Amino acid sequence: MNKTLFLAAAASALPVMGTAQDLVTRTRVGLADAPNTLTFRLTAYDLYSSDPATKAAFEALFTDFITARPDWKIETQLQTGNIGQEQARLLQQTQAGRGPDCAMIDSSQLALFKDNGVLKPMNDVFSDAEVADLFPFVRDAVTDADGNVLAWWWFTDLRVLYRDTSVVPDAPQTWEDLKSAALSAVEQGREGILFNGGRWEGTAFDWLANVWAQDATLVDDNGAPVFASGENREKVLTAIAYYQDLVDSGAAPARVTSITDYDSFNAAAAAGSAAMFIGGNWQYGQLRNTLPPETFANWEVSEIPGPTADQRATGTGGWTIAALTDDPAKASLCGEIAKDIYAGPGNAAQGLLPTSAAIYDQYDTYDGPEYDLFSAALQNGVARPGAAIYPELSNQIQIMLGDVLSGTATPEAALDTADAAVQAAFDRQ
């Protein structure tokens, strides 16, 4: 029997699958009576996205995936936007034997999961060539010392400066340039510069670009926190003072202390209220899809300014997918979800930056001029340290910035408090 006839015969023997509406529900992908079940804890940014185009694209990808595997159903569990809290809960449940089979793990938390030994290899899904094609910082993060693939970092991202060129025509090159442009925008009735300042991971991560631009170090080679000692201390204080001055001068509105998501920036752009904001590269596509063409034409992206024009940094983040089950079949299916749905097709559907060099050449999505800027900015990209203490370090940075920006603590006192808490957490590890 030739291959075509064989596939046709095999297909006719499979259970009849339903329509996309039947196969993708709010809590399940696949037929309800499928004999095998995989639990998958995911974020609300793709299959269950509030953006209709993104939701439709992932519904199609999941439908094709499960149609080819009619003996499986995927029971989905949604995480909230509170990354730190959700990831801590995921780790605790997994350690207690109550976690999902497969889950999205934020790249900032991956080292913690690795150190706790809860990630299961997915080696049979990913070839040596595919692993080798990952960017070096990604490859180091998802493999262990023996070369086992413990997760798949399916997209990375970076932070850039968005500006309305009708208000800020020239890209600020330094912190002082940005403050001056923001104050000028305030005089024109706009909010000058918006950034995350509330209690969540985005606040710490976005602000850290200002620390990394000064070549400061958060942890040493042993993963011990050193952010508040020696030269690092002065650089961290300088970065705190920069944010504090933006708020105190009015260049940034006081409401930044309550911003805990990037959607707030899209809303401000749509309302015409903000002149600039520090946001993620993925927001470029969101703005293009939601703003009127004549409004979107005014928005441009540029690298985040540094203390000088030659001092630049941007954080590189993103999400991974990892197997948390001892069942080899489920671990493989988890890897296949990462490979067949997210890494490549999922990247292109959302315009998210792939972690594999080859994917950039496979999709027309990455032909736009904005990706030239993103590529250039990634040359100054810095990944969060692969240290188990990072989640607590981030938590304390969030508290520290909130206290300083709200005026309840001086930079020095807030840094000392953060340092004491992080050091105590490190000593308990």
Side-chain angles (χ1 to χ4, degrees):
M1 181 181 294
N2 65 37
K3 183 178 180 181
T4 301
L5 292 176
F6 174 80
L7 292 175
S12 66
L14 295 175
V16 177
M17 301 296 283
T19 65
Q21 288 78 10
D22 298 326
L23 294 178
V24 180
T25 73
R26 191 62 179 171
T27 59
R28 188 190 73 250
V29 175
L31 297 175
D33 59 354
N36 302 305
T37 301
L38 177 89
T39 52
F40 179 33
R41 188 167 299 176
L42 69 167
T43 66
Y45 305 127
D46 36 74
L47 181 62
Y48 299 116
S49 173
S50 59
D51 174 58
T54 298
K55 183 175 184 290
F58 275 90
E59 283 183 345
L61 289 170
F62 269 92
T63 297
D64 289 345
F65 181 87
I66 207 65
T67 299
R69 299 163 177 83
D71 289 341
W72 284 94
K73 65 176 178 288
I74 303 168
E75 292 184 350
T76 56
Q77 305 169 358
L78 274 178
Q79 302 185 39
T80 68
N82 190 324
I83 295 174
Q85 185 180 83
E86 283 289 335
Q87 298 286 280
R89 182 168 70 99
L90 174 61
L91 179 58
Q92 291 170 356
Q93 290 176 339
T94 301
Q95 291 173 317
R98 296 182 286 104
D101 301 314
C102 181
M104 292 270 192
I105 298 176
D106 186 78
S107 57
S108 69
Q109 311 284 316
L110 188 60
L112 183 61
F113 281 76
K114 286 175 67 176
D115 287 352
N116 279 275
V118 299
L119 305 181
K120 307 304 178 182
M122 302 183 293
N123 300 340
D124 59 331
V125 177
F126 302 100
S127 68
D128 291 343
E130 288 169 330
V131 174
D133 194 54
L134 294 171
F135 296 137
F137 75 92
V138 173
R139 185 168 58 248
D140 291 344
V142 302
T143 57
D144 63 14
D146 297 322
N148 293 306
V149 178
L150 298 181
W152 199 253
W153 192 334
W154 68 278
F155 81 91
T156 189
D157 56 27
L158 70 155
R159 304 305 184 268
V160 290
L161 176 68
Y162 286 79
R163 73 186 197 283
D164 183 340
T165 58
S166 70
V167 182
V168 184
D170 299 318
Q173 300 299 308
T174 66
W175 291 349
E176 190 58 37
D177 289 345
L178 184 141
K179 176 183 175 183
S180 177
L183 289 173
S184 176
V186 170
E187 292 177 355
Q188 299 175 60
R190 296 287 194 94
E191 293 178 311
I193 176 72
L194 297 180
F195 50 80
N196 281 299
R199 184 78 180 273
W200 81 302
E201 164 63 15
T203 290
F205 189 38
D206 294 0
W207 171 79
L208 280 171
N210 303 298
V211 175
W212 290 323
Q214 302 174 75
D215 291 325
T217 303
L218 302 180
V219 299
D220 64 18
D221 292 340
N222 296 317
V226 295
F227 69 104
S229 60
E231 292 183 358
N232 294 322
R233 178 181 179 83
E234 296 308 312
K235 293 172 180 178
V236 168
L237 286 173
T238 297
I240 297 173
Y242 166 54
Y243 259 32
Q244 182 184 37
D245 183 49
L246 289 176
V247 174
D248 289 350
S249 68
R255 77 179 185 94
V256 296
T257 58
S258 64
I259 296 179
T260 56
D261 64 74
Y262 295 97
D263 288 343
S264 298
F265 307 142
N266 292 346
S273 60
M276 295 182 288
F277 64 85
I278 301 294
N281 63 280
W282 66 88
Q283 292 182 264
Y284 189 89
Q286 293 175 345
L287 293 179
R288 178 170 50 201
N289 292 336
T290 57
L291 296 181
E294 61 276 14
T295 302
F296 175 70
N298 289 330
W299 284 92
E300 291 187 6
V301 290
S302 56
E303 290 194 66
I304 297 174
T308 70
D310 295 329
Q311 292 176 289
R312 305 273 192 165
T314 182
T316 55
W319 285 82
T320 74
I321 295 175
L324 305 170
T325 173
D326 290 323
D327 186 325
K330 292 182 178 181
S332 293
L333 190 68
C334 181
E336 290 166 6
I337 288 172
K339 181 176 180 178
D340 296 350
I341 295 178
Y342 286 91
N347 294 135
Q350 293 177 287
L352 300 176
L353 303 182
T355 59
S356 170
I359 294 177
Y360 284 88
D361 297 328
Q362 294 175 12
Y363 296 92
D364 293 340
T365 300
Y366 304 109
D367 292 341
E370 68 273 18
Y371 289 100
D372 294 334
L373 181 281
F374 298 152
S375 177
L378 276 173
Q379 301 305 311
N380 295 314
V382 181
R384 285 166 282 201
I389 195 60
Y390 177 78
E392 181 57 25
L393 196 158
S394 170
N395 180 49
Q396 293 302 324
I397 287 175
Q398 297 164 37
I399 297 171
M400 175 186 73
L401 290 175
D403 288 346
V404 172
L405 297 182
S406 63
T408 61
T410 66
E412 292 80 4
L415 179 57
D416 288 341
T417 300
D419 182 41
V422 174
Q423 294 292 344
F426 182 78
D427 292 341
R428 291 193 298 269
Q429 288 183 353

